Amino acid sequence: MLQVSDLCKEYPTARGPLPVLSGVSFSLSPGDAAAIMGPSGSGKSSLLYLLGALDPPTSGTIVLDGRNPFELPPGELAAFRNKAVGFVFQDHCLLPQCTVLENVLIPTLVAPAERGRDDTTARARDLVAHVGLADRIDHRPGALSGGERQRVAIARALVRQPRLLLCDEPTGNLDRASAEHVAALLLDLHRRQQTILIVVTHSETLASNFPIRFELFDRRLERR
C-alpha cells in the first residue's frame, strides 16, 4: 500500500520559498496503475522524485508498505529505494558498454544477497524475454532502437521486484508504434508482479490506458 498524506514541497529561491506541491494526498494498493497528468512545470516530476525517495518533502508523509523512507538513516534509505522502488525515465539511461542482460542486472550489483545468484540471473533473462528481446540479450544499447532500449529500461526497473514502479514520461522519446508497445508492456508486467504503477505523462493517449487518472494543477492533485 502506498499512502501519501498532505504532501507539500517548496524550493528555496533568492526571493523566498517557491511552492511546487501543496496538500497532495492519495493512496494506491498493489496492482493499481495510475497516470498523473498536468502541464509542463506543474510539478509532476517533482512529485515522482518525492514518491521515489529521491528528494524529501517539505512537509507531509509518504508511506510504502508501512514504512516512511524519510525516517530511515541514509544507508537504509538507499537500500530501501533500490529494493522497493523501480524507476523508468524518459531517457533509458543504459550503460553503453554493457549488454542488455548486464544492464538489466545493474540494480542487483549493490545488493550483496542477490549478486551473482542463479535465480536473479534467471529472473533477468525472463524479463528480457518478456519484453521481446531474448534474441538481443547479448547486444549493447548502440545496436538497439529507441523503443528496444526503453524496453530494457523497463526490465531493469523490475528486476528486483519492486513494490512501486515510477515512470517519468516513459514514451516521450518514442514514435507512436513504439510508445504503444512500451505502454502495453508496462501494464502487462505490472499486472504480473502486482506492483503499484505510477506514470507521469503529457500524453492523453498513454494516460487513457490507465484505470486511475490524476491531474496536477495549481500545485494540487485531483482525481479525474
Side-chain angles (χ1 to χ4, degrees), residues 6-133:
D6 202 22
L7 204 64
C8 298
K9 182 64 180 179
E10 297 177 345
Y11 292 104
T13 72
R15 296 186 178 184
L18 174 66
V20 177
L21 299 169
S22 179
V24 172
S25 298
F26 66 93
S27 63
L28 295 171
S29 299
D32 283 345
I36 298 176
M37 298 196 67
S40 180
S42 62
K44 300 187 302 298
S45 293
S46 295
L47 176 57
L48 213 66
Y49 297 154
L50 300 184
L51 297 176
L54 293 170
D55 193 23
T58 303
S59 62
T61 59
I62 300 168
V63 177
L64 179 61
D65 287 347
R67 303 181 75 188
N68 181 344
F70 297 107
E71 294 178 347
L72 301 174
E76 290 184 30
L77 172 59
F80 173 89
R81 194 164 47 227
N82 177 260
K83 173 61 178 173
V85 185
F87 296 93
V88 179
F89 298 103
Q90 184 170 351
D91 183 79
H92 51 78
C93 299
L94 301 181
L95 295 182
Q97 71 273 27
C98 294
T99 66
V100 165
L101 180 61
E102 289 166 344
N103 268 288
V104 172
L105 284 168
I106 282 171
T108 71
L109 299 181
V110 294
E114 291 196 23
R115 190 185 306 138
R117 284 176 44 170
D118 290 343
D119 58 338
T120 300
T121 302
R123 184 165 64 247
R125 289 183 176 276
D126 180 65
L127 283 166
V128 171
H130 199 81
V131 299
L133 294 174

